[in-house]
PDB file of all heavy atoms in Angstrom:
ATOM      1  N   PHE A   1      -8.042   2.487   0.243  1.00 97.00           N
ATOM      2  CA  PHE A   1      -8.792   2.101   1.485  1.00 97.00           C
ATOM      3  C   PHE A   1      -9.682   0.834   1.182  1.00 97.00           C
ATOM      4  O   PHE A   1     -10.305   0.758   0.125  1.00 97.00           O
ATOM      5  CB  PHE A   1      -9.709   3.158   1.896  1.00 97.00           C
ATOM      6  CG  PHE A   1      -9.074   4.302   2.726  1.00 97.00           C
ATOM      7  CD1 PHE A   1      -8.413   5.374   2.157  1.00 97.00           C
ATOM      8  CD2 PHE A   1      -9.134   4.153   4.246  1.00 97.00           C
ATOM      9  CE1 PHE A   1      -7.752   6.342   2.914  1.00 97.00           C
ATOM     10  CE2 PHE A   1      -8.444   5.118   4.908  1.00 97.00           C
ATOM     11  CZ  PHE A   1      -7.803   6.140   4.348  1.00 97.00           C
ATOM     12  N   TYR A   2      -9.678  -0.107   2.122  1.00 98.00           N
ATOM     13  CA  TYR A   2     -10.529  -1.146   2.034  1.00 98.00           C
ATOM     14  C   TYR A   2     -11.428  -1.262   3.274  1.00 98.00           C
ATOM     15  O   TYR A   2     -11.006  -1.168   4.397  1.00 98.00           O
ATOM     16  CB  TYR A   2      -9.850  -2.606   1.850  1.00 98.00           C
ATOM     17  CG  TYR A   2     -10.779  -3.792   2.093  1.00 98.00           C
ATOM     18  CD1 TYR A   2     -11.667  -4.054   1.139  1.00 98.00           C
ATOM     19  CD2 TYR A   2     -10.602  -4.564   3.243  1.00 98.00           C
ATOM     20  CE1 TYR A   2     -12.459  -5.188   1.313  1.00 98.00           C
ATOM     21  CE2 TYR A   2     -11.511  -5.688   3.406  1.00 98.00           C
ATOM     22  CZ  TYR A   2     -12.348  -5.973   2.480  1.00 98.00           C
ATOM     23  OH  TYR A   2     -13.256  -6.969   2.663  1.00 98.00           O
ATOM     24  N   ASP A   3     -12.830  -1.242   3.033  1.00 97.00           N
ATOM     25  CA  ASP A   3     -13.765  -1.204   4.091  1.00 97.00           C
ATOM     26  C   ASP A   3     -14.235  -2.703   4.330  1.00 97.00           C
ATOM     27  O   ASP A   3     -15.110  -3.150   3.562  1.00 97.00           O
ATOM     28  CB  ASP A   3     -14.966  -0.266   3.787  1.00 97.00           C
ATOM     29  CG  ASP A   3     -15.761  -0.136   5.001  1.00 97.00           C
ATOM     30  OD1 ASP A   3     -15.853  -0.972   5.904  1.00 97.00           O
ATOM     31  OD2 ASP A   3     -16.601   0.905   5.067  1.00 97.00           O
ATOM     32  N   PRO A   4     -13.837  -3.289   5.496  1.00 96.00           N
ATOM     33  CA  PRO A   4     -14.288  -4.712   5.669  1.00 96.00           C
ATOM     34  C   PRO A   4     -15.719  -4.884   5.997  1.00 96.00           C
ATOM     35  O   PRO A   4     -16.321  -5.872   5.802  1.00 96.00           O
ATOM     36  CB  PRO A   4     -13.447  -5.085   6.894  1.00 96.00           C
ATOM     37  CG  PRO A   4     -12.967  -3.879   7.599  1.00 96.00           C
ATOM     38  CD  PRO A   4     -12.861  -2.753   6.551  1.00 96.00           C
ATOM     39  N   ASP A   5     -16.352  -3.727   6.370  1.00 97.00           N
ATOM     40  CA  ASP A   5     -17.847  -3.884   6.720  1.00 97.00           C
ATOM     41  C   ASP A   5     -18.697  -3.908   5.368  1.00 97.00           C
ATOM     42  O   ASP A   5     -19.637  -4.605   5.240  1.00 97.00           O
ATOM     43  CB  ASP A   5     -18.201  -2.578   7.536  1.00 97.00           C
ATOM     44  CG  ASP A   5     -17.651  -2.640   8.870  1.00 97.00           C
ATOM     45  OD1 ASP A   5     -17.342  -3.728   9.498  1.00 97.00           O
ATOM     46  OD2 ASP A   5     -17.369  -1.612   9.545  1.00 97.00           O
ATOM     47  N   THR A   6     -18.218  -3.232   4.402  1.00 97.00           N
ATOM     48  CA  THR A   6     -18.953  -3.064   3.157  1.00 97.00           C
ATOM     49  C   THR A   6     -18.341  -3.839   1.953  1.00 97.00           C
ATOM     50  O   THR A   6     -18.828  -3.943   0.930  1.00 97.00           O
ATOM     51  CB  THR A   6     -19.153  -1.632   2.608  1.00 97.00           C
ATOM     52  OG1 THR A   6     -17.843  -1.054   2.416  1.00 97.00           O
ATOM     53  CG2 THR A   6     -19.854  -0.875   3.726  1.00 97.00           C
ATOM     54  N   ASP A   7     -17.029  -4.307   2.257  1.00 98.00           N
ATOM     55  CA  ASP A   7     -16.337  -5.005   1.266  1.00 98.00           C
ATOM     56  C   ASP A   7     -15.971  -4.027   0.037  1.00 98.00           C
ATOM     57  O   ASP A   7     -15.707  -4.427  -1.052  1.00 98.00           O
ATOM     58  CB  ASP A   7     -16.925  -6.227   0.706  1.00 98.00           C
ATOM     59  CG  ASP A   7     -15.989  -7.161   0.020  1.00 98.00           C
ATOM     60  OD1 ASP A   7     -14.812  -7.313   0.505  1.00 98.00           O
ATOM     61  OD2 ASP A   7     -16.337  -7.849  -0.943  1.00 98.00           O
ATOM     62  N   GLU A   8     -15.999  -2.685   0.256  1.00 98.00           N
ATOM     63  CA  GLU A   8     -15.737  -1.764  -0.802  1.00 98.00           C
ATOM     64  C   GLU A   8     -14.135  -1.339  -0.731  1.00 98.00           C
ATOM     65  O   GLU A   8     -13.599  -1.287   0.306  1.00 98.00           O
ATOM     66  CB  GLU A   8     -16.556  -0.500  -0.664  1.00 98.00           C
ATOM     67  CG  GLU A   8     -18.083  -0.801  -0.901  1.00 98.00           C
ATOM     68  CD  GLU A   8     -18.887   0.442  -0.718  1.00 98.00           C
ATOM     69  OE1 GLU A   8     -18.317   1.532  -0.263  1.00 98.00           O
ATOM     70  OE2 GLU A   8     -20.120   0.411  -1.054  1.00 98.00           O
ATOM     71  N   ILE A   9     -13.760  -1.070  -2.032  1.00 98.00           N
ATOM     72  CA  ILE A   9     -12.329  -0.602  -2.228  1.00 98.00           C
ATOM     73  C   ILE A   9     -12.391   0.892  -2.741  1.00 98.00           C
ATOM     74  O   ILE A   9     -13.169   1.093  -3.596  1.00 98.00           O
ATOM     75  CB  ILE A   9     -11.661  -1.487  -3.195  1.00 98.00           C
ATOM     76  CG1 ILE A   9     -11.308  -2.885  -2.426  1.00 98.00           C
ATOM     77  CG2 ILE A   9     -10.202  -0.910  -3.598  1.00 98.00           C
ATOM     78  CD1 ILE A   9     -10.701  -3.856  -3.400  1.00 98.00           C
ATOM     79  N   GLY A  10     -11.578   1.740  -2.288  1.00 98.00           N
ATOM     80  CA  GLY A  10     -11.536   3.079  -2.798  1.00 98.00           C
ATOM     81  C   GLY A  10     -10.066   3.482  -3.073  1.00 98.00           C
ATOM     82  O   GLY A  10      -9.240   3.328  -2.191  1.00 98.00           O
ATOM     83  N   LEU A  11      -9.823   3.906  -4.193  1.00 98.00           N
ATOM     84  CA  LEU A  11      -8.373   4.356  -4.685  1.00 98.00           C
ATOM     85  C   LEU A  11      -8.176   5.635  -4.037  1.00 98.00           C
ATOM     86  O   LEU A  11      -8.929   6.692  -4.406  1.00 98.00           O
ATOM     87  CB  LEU A  11      -8.208   4.282  -6.077  1.00 98.00           C
ATOM     88  CG  LEU A  11      -6.781   4.420  -6.620  1.00 98.00           C
ATOM     89  CD1 LEU A  11      -6.624   3.766  -8.141  1.00 98.00           C
ATOM     90  CD2 LEU A  11      -6.265   5.720  -6.730  1.00 98.00           C
ATOM     91  N   LEU A  12      -7.117   5.851  -3.194  1.00 97.00           N
ATOM     92  CA  LEU A  12      -6.812   7.111  -2.668  1.00 97.00           C
ATOM     93  C   LEU A  12      -5.869   7.968  -3.572  1.00 97.00           C
ATOM     94  O   LEU A  12      -6.248   9.065  -3.883  1.00 97.00           O
ATOM     95  CB  LEU A  12      -6.080   6.950  -1.287  1.00 97.00           C
ATOM     96  CG  LEU A  12      -5.629   8.125  -0.568  1.00 97.00           C
ATOM     97  CD1 LEU A  12      -6.853   9.073  -0.244  1.00 97.00           C
ATOM     98  CD2 LEU A  12      -4.843   7.843   0.763  1.00 97.00           C
ATOM     99  N   GLU A  13      -4.687   7.382  -4.005  1.00 96.00           N
ATOM    100  CA  GLU A  13      -3.884   8.159  -4.820  1.00 96.00           C
ATOM    101  C   GLU A  13      -2.843   7.279  -5.514  1.00 96.00           C
ATOM    102  O   GLU A  13      -2.516   6.164  -4.972  1.00 96.00           O
ATOM    103  CB  GLU A  13      -3.172   9.312  -4.245  1.00 96.00           C
ATOM    104  CG  GLU A  13      -2.130   8.958  -3.110  1.00 96.00           C
ATOM    105  CD  GLU A  13      -1.408  10.131  -2.541  1.00 96.00           C
ATOM    106  OE1 GLU A  13      -1.971  11.408  -2.705  1.00 96.00           O
ATOM    107  OE2 GLU A  13      -0.340  10.030  -1.922  1.00 96.00           O
ATOM    108  N   ILE A  14      -2.252   7.789  -6.599  1.00 98.00           N
ATOM    109  CA  ILE A  14      -1.220   7.073  -7.340  1.00 98.00           C
ATOM    110  C   ILE A  14       0.014   7.736  -7.306  1.00 98.00           C
ATOM    111  O   ILE A  14       0.129   8.959  -7.556  1.00 98.00           O
ATOM    112  CB  ILE A  14      -1.635   6.812  -8.872  1.00 98.00           C
ATOM    113  CG1 ILE A  14      -2.963   6.188  -9.066  1.00 98.00           C
ATOM    114  CG2 ILE A  14      -0.496   6.073  -9.628  1.00 98.00           C
ATOM    115  CD1 ILE A  14      -3.501   6.109 -10.373  1.00 98.00           C
ATOM    116  N   ASN A  15       1.185   7.021  -6.956  1.00 97.00           N
ATOM    117  CA  ASN A  15       2.503   7.573  -6.867  1.00 97.00           C
ATOM    118  C   ASN A  15       3.246   6.909  -8.116  1.00 97.00           C
ATOM    119  O   ASN A  15       3.295   5.667  -8.222  1.00 97.00           O
ATOM    120  CB  ASN A  15       3.167   7.248  -5.600  1.00 97.00           C
ATOM    121  CG  ASN A  15       2.426   7.908  -4.434  1.00 97.00           C
ATOM    122  OD1 ASN A  15       2.331   9.074  -4.274  1.00 97.00           O
ATOM    123  ND2 ASN A  15       2.034   6.987  -3.500  1.00 97.00           N
ATOM    124  N   SER A  16       3.876   7.776  -8.867  1.00 97.00           N
ATOM    125  CA  SER A  16       4.553   7.299 -10.080  1.00 97.00           C
ATOM    126  C   SER A  16       6.028   6.850  -9.703  1.00 97.00           C
ATOM    127  O   SER A  16       7.024   7.160 -10.445  1.00 97.00           O
ATOM    128  CB  SER A  16       4.610   8.328 -11.186  1.00 97.00           C
ATOM    129  OG  SER A  16       5.337   9.534 -10.687  1.00 97.00           O
ATOM    130  N   ARG A  17       6.128   6.234  -8.553  1.00 97.00           N
ATOM    131  CA  ARG A  17       7.423   5.720  -8.138  1.00 97.00           C
ATOM    132  C   ARG A  17       7.152   4.784  -6.975  1.00 97.00           C
ATOM    133  O   ARG A  17       6.030   4.694  -6.474  1.00 97.00           O
ATOM    134  CB  ARG A  17       8.293   6.890  -7.551  1.00 97.00           C
ATOM    135  CG  ARG A  17       7.489   7.598  -6.461  1.00 97.00           C
ATOM    136  CD  ARG A  17       8.174   8.551  -5.673  1.00 97.00           C
ATOM    137  NE  ARG A  17       7.238   9.288  -4.748  1.00 97.00           N
ATOM    138  CZ  ARG A  17       6.717   8.746  -3.731  1.00 97.00           C
ATOM    139  NH1 ARG A  17       7.024   7.616  -3.284  1.00 97.00           N
ATOM    140  NH2 ARG A  17       5.896   9.479  -2.922  1.00 97.00           N
ATOM    141  N   HIS A  18       8.070   3.788  -6.792  1.00 97.00           N
ATOM    142  CA  HIS A  18       7.945   2.934  -5.567  1.00 97.00           C
ATOM    143  C   HIS A  18       8.220   3.678  -4.345  1.00 97.00           C
ATOM    144  O   HIS A  18       8.775   4.813  -4.380  1.00 97.00           O
ATOM    145  CB  HIS A  18       8.787   1.620  -5.704  1.00 97.00           C
ATOM    146  CG  HIS A  18      10.148   1.922  -5.585  1.00 97.00           C
ATOM    147  ND1 HIS A  18      11.008   2.595  -6.557  1.00 97.00           N
ATOM    148  CD2 HIS A  18      11.086   1.684  -4.583  1.00 97.00           C
ATOM    149  CE1 HIS A  18      12.214   2.763  -6.152  1.00 97.00           C
ATOM    150  NE2 HIS A  18      12.394   2.202  -5.057  1.00 97.00           N
ATOM    151  N   SER A  19       7.847   3.069  -3.200  1.00 95.00           N
ATOM    152  CA  SER A  19       8.112   3.858  -1.904  1.00 95.00           C
ATOM    153  C   SER A  19       9.467   3.318  -1.339  1.00 95.00           C
ATOM    154  O   SER A  19       9.710   2.305  -1.133  1.00 95.00           O
ATOM    155  CB  SER A  19       7.032   3.542  -0.904  1.00 95.00           C
ATOM    156  OG  SER A  19       7.348   4.106   0.325  1.00 95.00           O
ATOM    157  N   GLN A  20      10.450   4.411  -1.148  1.00 94.00           N
ATOM    158  CA  GLN A  20      11.667   3.995  -0.590  1.00 94.00           C
ATOM    159  C   GLN A  20      11.456   3.616   0.833  1.00 94.00           C
ATOM    160  O   GLN A  20      12.377   2.916   1.393  1.00 94.00           O
ATOM    161  CB  GLN A  20      12.709   5.226  -0.665  1.00 94.00           C
ATOM    162  CG  GLN A  20      12.228   6.559  -0.057  1.00 94.00           C
ATOM    163  CD  GLN A  20      12.580   6.764   1.451  1.00 94.00           C
ATOM    164  OE1 GLN A  20      13.472   6.151   1.869  1.00 94.00           O
ATOM    165  NE2 GLN A  20      11.668   7.490   2.065  1.00 94.00           N
ATOM    166  N   SER A  21      10.370   4.110   1.527  1.00 91.00           N
ATOM    167  CA  SER A  21      10.116   3.679   2.884  1.00 91.00           C
ATOM    168  C   SER A  21       9.886   2.136   3.014  1.00 91.00           C
ATOM    169  O   SER A  21      10.086   1.627   4.109  1.00 91.00           O
ATOM    170  CB  SER A  21       8.802   4.376   3.367  1.00 91.00           C
ATOM    171  OG  SER A  21       9.106   5.800   3.567  1.00 91.00           O
ATOM    172  N   HIS A  22       9.553   1.644   1.942  1.00 96.00           N
ATOM    173  CA  HIS A  22       9.190   0.089   1.922  1.00 96.00           C
ATOM    174  C   HIS A  22      10.394  -0.711   1.641  1.00 96.00           C
ATOM    175  O   HIS A  22      10.269  -1.984   1.687  1.00 96.00           O
ATOM    176  CB  HIS A  22       8.034  -0.161   0.895  1.00 96.00           C
ATOM    177  CG  HIS A  22       6.812   0.465   1.260  1.00 96.00           C
ATOM    178  ND1 HIS A  22       5.735   0.696   0.332  1.00 96.00           N
ATOM    179  CD2 HIS A  22       6.284   1.138   2.404  1.00 96.00           C
ATOM    180  CE1 HIS A  22       4.760   1.317   0.831  1.00 96.00           C
ATOM    181  NE2 HIS A  22       5.097   1.639   2.072  1.00 96.00           N
ATOM    182  N   ALA A  23      11.495  -0.124   1.134  1.00 96.00           N
ATOM    183  CA  ALA A  23      12.569  -0.948   0.572  1.00 96.00           C
ATOM    184  C   ALA A  23      13.156  -1.874   1.606  1.00 96.00           C
ATOM    185  O   ALA A  23      13.330  -3.128   1.263  1.00 96.00           O
ATOM    186  CB  ALA A  23      13.715   0.097   0.121  1.00 96.00           C
ATOM    187  N   VAL A  24      13.374  -1.508   2.814  1.00 96.00           N
ATOM    188  CA  VAL A  24      13.930  -2.478   3.811  1.00 96.00           C
ATOM    189  C   VAL A  24      13.028  -3.566   4.115  1.00 96.00           C
ATOM    190  O   VAL A  24      13.299  -4.642   4.542  1.00 96.00           O
ATOM    191  CB  VAL A  24      14.522  -1.707   4.967  1.00 96.00           C
ATOM    192  CG1 VAL A  24      13.442  -1.116   5.827  1.00 96.00           C
ATOM    193  CG2 VAL A  24      15.441  -2.621   5.807  1.00 96.00           C
ATOM    194  N   LEU A  25      11.664  -3.252   4.086  1.00 98.00           N
ATOM    195  CA  LEU A  25      10.677  -4.178   4.383  1.00 98.00           C
ATOM    196  C   LEU A  25      10.631  -5.431   3.377  1.00 98.00           C
ATOM    197  O   LEU A  25      10.598  -6.579   3.782  1.00 98.00           O
ATOM    198  CB  LEU A  25       9.202  -3.587   4.339  1.00 98.00           C
ATOM    199  CG  LEU A  25       9.035  -2.319   5.198  1.00 98.00           C
ATOM    200  CD1 LEU A  25       7.606  -1.881   5.248  1.00 98.00           C
ATOM    201  CD2 LEU A  25       9.706  -2.481   6.548  1.00 98.00           C
ATOM    202  N   PHE A  26      10.742  -5.133   2.075  1.00 98.00           N
ATOM    203  CA  PHE A  26      10.916  -6.164   1.069  1.00 98.00           C
ATOM    204  C   PHE A  26      12.201  -6.936   1.359  1.00 98.00           C
ATOM    205  O   PHE A  26      12.201  -8.179   1.050  1.00 98.00           O
ATOM    206  CB  PHE A  26      10.890  -5.548  -0.342  1.00 98.00           C
ATOM    207  CG  PHE A  26       9.515  -5.143  -0.752  1.00 98.00           C
ATOM    208  CD1 PHE A  26       9.071  -3.827  -0.603  1.00 98.00           C
ATOM    209  CD2 PHE A  26       8.686  -6.088  -1.376  1.00 98.00           C
ATOM    210  CE1 PHE A  26       7.746  -3.536  -1.061  1.00 98.00           C
ATOM    211  CE2 PHE A  26       7.359  -5.803  -1.746  1.00 98.00           C
ATOM    212  CZ  PHE A  26       6.890  -4.491  -1.665  1.00 98.00           C
ATOM    213  N   ASP A  27      13.248  -6.235   1.641  1.00 96.00           N
ATOM    214  CA  ASP A  27      14.511  -6.900   1.828  1.00 96.00           C
ATOM    215  C   ASP A  27      14.423  -7.864   3.081  1.00 96.00           C
ATOM    216  O   ASP A  27      14.961  -9.030   3.019  1.00 96.00           O
ATOM    217  CB  ASP A  27      15.667  -5.909   2.172  1.00 96.00           C
ATOM    218  CG  ASP A  27      17.047  -6.407   2.014  1.00 96.00           C
ATOM    219  OD1 ASP A  27      17.163  -7.441   1.319  1.00 96.00           O
ATOM    220  OD2 ASP A  27      17.910  -5.999   2.677  1.00 96.00           O
ATOM    221  N   HIS A  28      13.705  -7.367   4.108  1.00 97.00           N
ATOM    222  CA  HIS A  28      13.593  -8.340   5.309  1.00 97.00           C
ATOM    223  C   HIS A  28      12.755  -9.641   4.917  1.00 97.00           C
ATOM    224  O   HIS A  28      13.032 -10.639   5.604  1.00 97.00           O
ATOM    225  CB  HIS A  28      12.779  -7.588   6.471  1.00 97.00           C
ATOM    226  CG  HIS A  28      13.734  -6.695   7.290  1.00 97.00           C
ATOM    227  ND1 HIS A  28      15.140  -6.777   7.213  1.00 97.00           N
ATOM    228  CD2 HIS A  28      13.520  -5.772   8.208  1.00 97.00           C
ATOM    229  CE1 HIS A  28      15.670  -5.871   8.168  1.00 97.00           C
ATOM    230  NE2 HIS A  28      14.660  -5.286   8.689  1.00 97.00           N
ATOM    231  N   VAL A  29      11.750  -9.411   4.179  1.00 98.00           N
ATOM    232  CA  VAL A  29      10.807 -10.535   3.854  1.00 98.00           C
ATOM    233  C   VAL A  29      11.186 -11.365   2.688  1.00 98.00           C
ATOM    234  O   VAL A  29      11.213 -12.651   2.714  1.00 98.00           O
ATOM    235  CB  VAL A  29       9.374 -10.002   3.792  1.00 98.00           C
ATOM    236  CG1 VAL A  29       8.368 -11.176   3.431  1.00 98.00           C
ATOM    237  CG2 VAL A  29       8.918  -9.304   5.112  1.00 98.00           C
ATOM    238  N   ASP A  30      11.541 -10.629   1.596  1.00 97.00           N
ATOM    239  CA  ASP A  30      11.803 -11.397   0.373  1.00 97.00           C
ATOM    240  C   ASP A  30      13.240 -11.557  -0.035  1.00 97.00           C
ATOM    241  O   ASP A  30      13.678 -12.324  -0.924  1.00 97.00           O
ATOM    242  CB  ASP A  30      11.194 -10.584  -0.857  1.00 97.00           C
ATOM    243  CG  ASP A  30       9.671 -10.716  -0.738  1.00 97.00           C
ATOM    244  OD1 ASP A  30       9.104 -11.717  -0.291  1.00 97.00           O
ATOM    245  OD2 ASP A  30       8.925  -9.825  -1.197  1.00 97.00           O
TER     246      ASP A  30
END
């Protein structure tokens, strides 16, 4: 999470794998 009002960053969770949901997004852009 990034709070633009306070400029603070908070780590929510770590996944030990990339996201398959993002695969086509990278393909579209990169």
Side-chain angles (χ1 to χ4, degrees):
F1 275 86
Y2 169 68
D3 189 337
D5 295 326
T6 63
D7 200 36
E8 292 181 348
I9 291 173
L11 193 158
L12 179 60
E13 68 176 16
I14 302 174
N15 300 298
S16 61
R17 51 170 178 78
H18 69 286
S19 173
Q20 59 86 25
S21 293
H22 300 161
V24 69
L25 309 186
F26 282 95
D27 195 25
H28 277 349
V29 175
D30 290 331

